Every structure is written in structure tokens, then in C-alpha cells.
Amino acid sequence: MTTYRYNKTLSKRNMWIGETLSLYYRIFFYYLYSGKGIDAYRTSGIDRRVLIHIYSLVLTIRLFSFRHYRAKSYGEDLRANLRNVIVPFTIIPLSIFCFNKFICLFFLIFIYPLWALIGSIYLSIYDTKNSQTINQYFYEQLLKPNYWFATWRMNCTIVAYHSYKKWEQTKQQYSMEDKGRFLIEGKKLNIPVTPILEIPRIMIKHKSIEGGMGINVYDNFAINDGDWIIQKVFSNSDFIQNLVTSNAPLSTVRIITSRDSSSSLIKVKTMVFRAGRFQQKTDHNAIFYNIDFNSSHCLSSGTTNRHWYQSGLKSFDTTSMWQGQNYSIHPDSYQQLEGIKWPNVNEMIQCVSHAHEILCPDIPIIGWDVAWTNENNQLMLLELNISCNFFNGHFDTKDYTNFCYDWFHTLDI
């Protein structure tokens, strides 16, 4: 086992850009060329957050050509799910850098550090909430980023690694990410999933178009071996509807549950209300309000990540990056959401924890989309997301770091 010495006096407050870059390359190339597990790089001076971040980047290369639970390979899954994710100010979708393993490696060695440096310069000028130097920002951006995309990518890597190593034992559980299978199995187990219309097929016809055009026929996956989930459109509960506009979409709560590598106990990592926007079809475009599930059950000030989904010249728009990160008032309904107490937090947590236990007991981490509807005021689970996104939710950084490290170590063995 190789042990590197590290100067404990160096920290993010006094580590120069060159020292940060050197540390990144030293750890990255050690893991890349040694092929060893995360526990092989031992030193008391390295933050575990640094190790899990860099190790997960190397795992992306190692797993790139290997089978993925929802694609032929992890690389194919990355290309599919990053095609609409664009780093602000670049115009470039991240899927381009996942074309093959070598381009991805080139990105991690050269482009990622460069972008981290450019971002650090920008943050040191425009981020008025923090008074840090370029050196400090660069340390955080390169070695232990904590923004939404970094945690999403980390979660994706953990489950990709887990599904590859534990496929025979868990393939039925990973199949629950298929939205149709989830609804069928959930119903069998009396989990409150959204109901399916019990009809073989439906016809959708435009009211004006003639000549046989404007007609679409959809086969129900559950009855007629089709590809489509046919359901009624559900509406928000009265409580949620008072927070958003009357024509906002069904606005759900994203709850992340997890289990440690050494325990079957299901824990909640974060809980976020996604307040849908005016005339949107779904709440993917929403304002994210963290819910304090541990104590007060109150909503925080809202945030957004829309600047990561802006294509073309819109990626240079900084409004949603800085001015739009303090939504105490919903921008469409003009309702004060910050500080509002969410009434059924414990009921929601109990619902998703039970679903995790009986549907996917071995999966490390799952994101649940919970709808509170006007159907007898009941809760419904829309779907589960195994490669899950925190949606800017607050979480215990130390707990999450240890969770990631322990899972990587367990899967390395």
C-alpha cells in the first residue's frame, strides 16, 4: 500500500493554485495508474471529500465501457443524460466529452481544471455572498465541489459501480427505475403509486386537422404491451396550490433516501419542494425550496439550477446564477414560501423509507418524487430515480462524505 506524505499546514486558505493543481494530478494519476481502491491512498492530511471526488472521477474512466443498469455501458448512459446539461458560459453540452473514454480522460486532465480556474476567477469577482480568494475558490471547485451537479455525478458513479459489482443480486431492484415496472410492482406491494388507466389504448385526435392526420394512438404498457403509461393528470393539494399559480404543474417533493454499506437502516439525506413554474408541463423547471426535515419542517429560501440547462447564448445569462438564488417569494405566485412549515414531512418520509425497504433494499441511494395531490388529499409516488439529483437540497456534508467513502471502499473489496 502506498502512503503519500502531505503537508498538514496547507489548507484551502493558503494553498496556491499550483499546489492545488499538483495535489489533484497526484491523486488522480495514482488512482488511475495503480488500479487500486479508494483506501489505498492514505494520508492524515487529505480531506475525505477530496478523495471521494477524485476517486469518483477515476471510476468514471474505469467503468466507462462496462455494463450499466439502464444502458449498454456507463459511457452510453452519460451521453444520454448529459446532452442537455451545459456548464454556464460554455455553450457546450457535457455529453460531448463522453463520446469515448479517451475524450473523457482528456476532459478530466485538461479541461476540467481549466474550467475550475475560470470559474474561480469569476466567483472571486461576482460572488458577493462569500469573501474568498481565487486560491480558495479553486481549491473547492477542483478538489471538493459541493454544487448540485457534483453531488448528482457522485450519486451516479456510486450506483453505476454498485450495479456493476452486484448485478446478479440486485438486477431486479435496479429494474424499478423503469417507470412502468415501478408502478406495477408498487401496486402489488400496496405502495401508494399513481394509478394507471385500465384501458388497452387511447386515441388522441386534433379537433381541426383532417385527412387522417393529427391522430395518435398509444398502447398501454400495462395492458397492451405498449410503450406508454396512460394516466389522468393529477392536481396539487390545496396546500401546495396556494403556494404556486393555478396553472403550475404538479409540484412534487424530492426526497433522497440511502442505506449505508454496513447497515440496512434507511436514512433520509435531503428533502426539497420543487415549486413548479407558470404554464410548465412538469416541475423540472422549478424553484427549489429545501425542507428542514430534522427539526422545524420549514422551507428555506428558494434556489434554481436552470443556468445549467441554458443552450446557446442563453448560457451566458447570469441572472439565474446570482440574482435568482434567493427566492424567499415565489416569482410567479408572489407568495412568501420561505419559513412556511410543511405539514406532512413525517408522513412523506415514512412513505419513501418503507418503499426503499421493500422495493430496493440493497440500492445505496434513491431519489423519490412524492406528489401531494387533491385526490382525497393523499400522497402518491410518481417514480424513483436511482441516479438521483439533490436539486440543491441541504445535506449533512460529513455524513454524505462518509457514506460515499464507505460504499466505494466496500465495492473495491
Side-chain angles (χ1 to χ4, degrees), residues 308-372:
W308 283 77
Y309 292 92
Q310 302 282 6
S311 60
L313 296 178
K314 291 181 179 180
S315 71
F316 293 97
D317 179 17
T318 62
T319 302
S320 61
M321 184 180 296
W322 302 119
Q323 299 176 17
Q325 294 300 316
N326 188 27
Y327 287 105
S328 60
I329 297 175
H330 192 281
D332 301 328
S333 67
Y334 303 107
Q335 294 291 322
Q336 172 83 28
L337 269 64
E338 183 179 8
I340 287 180
K341 187 171 183 178
W342 199 270
N344 55 1
V345 167
N346 292 333
E347 184 182 353
M348 285 188 168
I349 289 176
Q350 184 179 10
C351 177
V352 298
S353 298
H354 176 65
H356 195 153
E357 286 176 353
I358 63 176
L359 270 179
C360 308
D362 299 314
I363 305 298
I365 191 165
I366 299 176
W368 305 88
D369 293 341
V370 186
W372 182 8

Side-chain angles (χ1 to χ4, degrees), residues 171-351:
K171 58 184 177 182
Q172 295 301 320
Q173 297 177 39
Y174 275 101
S175 71
M176 290 300 105
E177 195 167 68
D178 179 293
K179 296 175 178 61
R181 187 179 180 90
F182 167 73
L183 294 176
I184 291 175
E185 295 301 318
K187 183 179 179 180
K188 289 179 182 177
L189 296 170
N190 294 318
I191 293 172
V193 296
T194 50
I196 306 165
L197 293 180
E198 300 290 337
I199 53 178
R201 59 177 59 179
I202 61 169
M203 175 184 289
I204 307 295
K205 181 188 297 186
H206 193 276
K207 65 179 183 179
S208 301
I209 300 176
E210 299 180 355
M213 298 181 291
I215 296 176
N216 294 281
V217 177
Y218 298 94
D219 290 322
N220 192 330
F221 85 98
I223 299 175
N224 209 31
D225 195 29
D227 295 323
W228 300 95
I229 297 172
I230 302 175
Q231 299 173 304
K232 66 172 291 184
V233 176
F234 296 97
S235 299
N236 294 310
S237 67
D238 291 340
F239 176 83
I240 292 178
Q241 202 59 56
N242 288 331
L243 304 180
V244 297
T245 60
S246 60
N247 53 7
L250 187 65
S251 298
T252 61
V253 174
R254 165 59 64 91
I255 304 178
I256 304 290
T257 57
S258 68
R259 61 168 293 257
D260 295 336
S261 60
S262 58
S263 170
S264 60
L265 179 66
I266 304 300
K267 300 178 181 178
V268 174
K269 285 282 187 282
T270 191
M271 187 172 184
V272 177
F273 170 50
R274 300 184 294 192
R277 300 301 305 272
F278 179 72
Q279 292 185 338
Q280 295 294 309
K281 292 182 179 179
T282 72
D283 61 0
H284 188 73
N285 181 5
I287 308 300
F288 309 136
Y289 292 89
N290 182 78
I291 301 176
D292 180 7
F293 63 90
N294 283 314
S295 55
S296 71
H297 296 183
C298 291
L299 302 184
S300 69
S301 178
T303 61
T304 180
N305 64 0
R306 289 306 299 168
H307 49 285
W308 283 77
Y309 292 92
Q310 302 282 6
S311 60
L313 296 178
K314 291 181 179 180
S315 71
F316 293 97
D317 179 17
T318 62
T319 302
S320 61
M321 184 180 296
W322 302 119
Q323 299 176 17
Q325 294 300 316
N326 188 27
Y327 287 105
S328 60
I329 297 175
H330 192 281
D332 301 328
S333 67
Y334 303 107
Q335 294 291 322
Q336 172 83 28
L337 269 64
E338 183 179 8
I340 287 180
K341 187 171 183 178
W342 199 270
N344 55 1
V345 167
N346 292 333
E347 184 182 353
M348 285 188 168
I349 289 176
Q350 184 179 10
C351 177

Side-chain angles (χ1 to χ4, degrees), residues 17-36:
I17 289 174
E19 293 171 320
T20 297
L21 190 62
S22 175
L23 179 60
Y24 171 76
Y25 284 136
R26 188 161 70 243
I27 300 174
F28 182 88
F29 284 114
Y30 171 75
Y31 283 135
L32 183 68
Y33 287 119
S34 71
K36 295 181 178 179

